[in-house]
Amino acid sequence: MANVIDITGLPPERVVFAPSPLAELSAALHALSEPGHHPGLHGWVTATNAGLKTDLADRLCEADFLWRSARSDILLPARPGATLAEELDELDKIDDERFVAAAFEISCSPRYTRRTPSPLVDADERARVREMAAARGPRQAAFTDRMLTDPDGLRVWLRRLFENCEDAFFGDIWRRVSIQLAADARHKTELLRRKGLAETLTATSRALTLEEAQDGSARILVDKLASGRTTAFSDPADPGVTFLPTSFGWPHLLFSHAPGWRPVLQYPVASPELPAPTTLELVQQRLEALGHPMRMQLCRTLSRGPHTTGELATTFGITAPEVSRHIAVLKKAGLLQTRRRGRYVLHQLDLQVVARLGSDFLEGVLR
């Protein structure tokens, strides 16, 4: 369960860490529209939503498909600018066909991983986009029709929406968080220079690893349930990989990898209160370990105190080797604590690990 970025032959200087006002605004807008994903931001979400003028709130609802369940690639700049205005200027330079195609990309669809025609020029794609929009309600259907019939006018409308967000709440946010994000980007850039990419990826997120082969090939692996594969040379005119820090992102680790676009990852800036992500493979292993009825019974007993294999065999009326096999599965999943007392080996359920299992699962599927 890993997304892959092939970086074979990519010079280190083409790996870029930089903050992006537009990406941070989109992360904030996502938190406002899906507060359940971000319980740590509950106070900010409540206060910000309450302070929005009705007109702005209505327009955000109209366009929220761009950032709600999936983040449109147009909101994750591969070349971040210093200000929101600079990044919106760059967004204005994208031609209508490319802009509209990117706006309607849905990352949970397998179509994302292959080139598809723009709905502005392809009737089938246009019908598909309209059907998706209709399923999400009349507001998005109306927004989609405007995007397809008057892309220039809609793009002006969308830019004004982002500028209004900056005036209403994001300007203050950016002045506060940009210092932290810039410091994190500088730290990662210096770490890359001094320690190399493998250590830098680990410091960025435990869900990122570098895989290097003897033939000289190299890949960045992104531990996410949704699968994807791309190359740092996807955009021949601008090869590389861009990393965007965010203070709003956790638990999401966004991976933009549409064909023809430079790969972009938006990662949450680490802080002491954020738990280190557990690998999806380990979460699955723990859920499977607990899925057996006898292991559930064993866990009930082991949650109350330490027990030996012999005690468990007597309690449940099964053989010691059967208990040992179940114990081995639970230990491999990291669910047990084991200690020796003389000639006895005592097993006990690790309550902290089990207590985190629900949040580990939720963090994994939202990542």
Side-chain angles (χ1 to χ4, degrees):
M1 288 184 288
N3 295 259
V4 178
I5 309 174
D6 188 340
I7 59 168
T8 304
L10 184 71
E13 62 271 16
R14 303 298 296 185
V15 177
V16 175
F17 287 84
S20 161
L22 180 58
E24 191 70 351
L25 172 58
S26 70
L29 292 175
H30 168 75
L32 290 174
S33 60
E34 284 289 357
H37 293 187
H38 307 274
L41 297 175
H42 177 74
W44 175 83
V45 167
T46 301
T48 302
N49 275 328
L52 292 178
K53 293 182 178 179
T54 303
D55 172 66
L56 179 56
D58 287 344
R59 286 184 289 146
L60 287 175
C61 288
E62 195 174 348
D64 73 354
F65 82 98
L66 292 171
W67 54 76
R68 187 173 194 126
S69 60
R71 199 79 54 82
S72 171
D73 287 345
I74 61 176
L75 303 178
L76 297 170
R79 284 294 181 188
T83 66
L84 181 62
E86 287 182 21
E87 293 187 328
L88 293 177
D89 287 343
E90 290 301 310
L91 203 57
D92 288 342
K93 296 177 183 178
I94 301 177
D95 66 79
D96 284 347
E97 288 185 18
R98 187 175 173 88
F99 182 95
V100 172
F104 288 114
E105 283 163 350
I106 304 298
S107 62
C108 61
S109 167
R111 301 174 67 93
Y112 179 81
T113 59
R114 61 180 188 268
R115 291 181 185 272
T116 54
S118 171
L120 290 182
V121 297
D122 185 87
D124 291 339
E125 185 68 9
R126 188 160 55 250
R128 185 185 74 88
V129 163
R130 281 197 162 115
E131 183 177 356
M132 286 195 310
R136 285 164 174 78
R139 277 186 171 176
Q140 186 173 335
F143 183 93
T144 298
D145 280 335
R146 290 170 59 198
M147 177 77 86
L148 294 175
T149 57
D150 182 21
D152 289 336
L154 197 284
R155 290 175 67 168
V156 171
W157 181 93
L158 192 59
R159 175 169 184 145
R160 188 177 302 117
L161 175 66
F162 293 148
E163 291 170 341
N164 291 158
C165 288
E166 183 175 36
D167 294 337
F169 64 90
F170 182 70
D172 291 337
I173 291 172
W174 184 247
R175 281 187 288 273
R176 187 180 77 246
V177 305
S178 60
I179 298 173
Q180 176 195 18
L181 300 184
D184 186 86
R186 285 194 301 270
H187 170 68
K188 297 297 192 303
T189 301
E190 181 63 16
L191 191 63
L192 177 63
R193 186 184 67 83
R194 291 188 294 108
K195 299 291 187 177
L197 183 57
E199 190 164 330
T200 305
L201 291 175
T202 301
T204 301
S205 171
R206 297 278 184 87
L208 298 174
T209 54
L210 178 65
E211 183 182 84
E212 296 179 286
Q214 291 184 346
D215 63 2
S217 61
R219 309 187 304 169
I220 296 174
L221 304 182
V222 187
D223 189 29
K224 285 173 65 74
L225 278 172
S227 61
R229 182 176 294 271
T230 189
T231 168
F233 298 89
S234 184
D235 180 359
D238 187 27
V241 183
T242 300
F243 291 84
L244 308 175
T246 173
S247 60
F248 283 89
W250 191 88
H252 306 307
L253 176 66
L254 294 186
F255 178 30
S256 170
H257 56 91
W261 293 70
R262 178 174 178 161
V264 177
L265 290 112
Q266 187 183 43
Y267 64 94
V269 172
S271 61
E273 63 271 15
L274 293 183
T278 303
T279 66
L280 295 173
E281 182 180 5
L282 183 56
V283 172
Q284 180 178 350
Q285 187 179 21
R286 287 173 174 171
L287 292 174
E288 289 174 348
L290 294 173
H292 193 285
M294 178 52 68
R295 288 196 284 273
M296 286 285 285
Q297 291 289 329
L298 291 171
C299 284
R300 180 176 183 271
T301 299
L302 295 174
S303 68
R304 301 179 178 190
H307 291 76
T308 66
T309 299
E311 289 175 326
L312 295 170
T314 301
T315 299
F316 291 99
I318 59 177
T319 66
E322 286 180 283
V323 173
S324 295
R325 285 194 291 271
H326 288 305
I327 290 293
V329 172
L330 294 170
K331 283 182 65 176
K332 188 175 181 181
L335 296 170
L336 297 184
Q337 295 174 329
T338 300
R339 68 179 188 272
R340 180 175 290 277
R341 181 178 293 166
R343 64 189 183 91
Y344 298 102
V345 176
L346 299 168
H347 307 287
Q348 187 169 8
L349 194 66
D350 191 327
L351 298 183
Q352 289 187 333
V353 170
V354 177
R356 266 201 52 82
L357 188 56
S359 55
D360 283 340
F361 171 76
L362 186 59
E363 188 272 338
V365 297
L366 289 177
R367 187 186 304 164

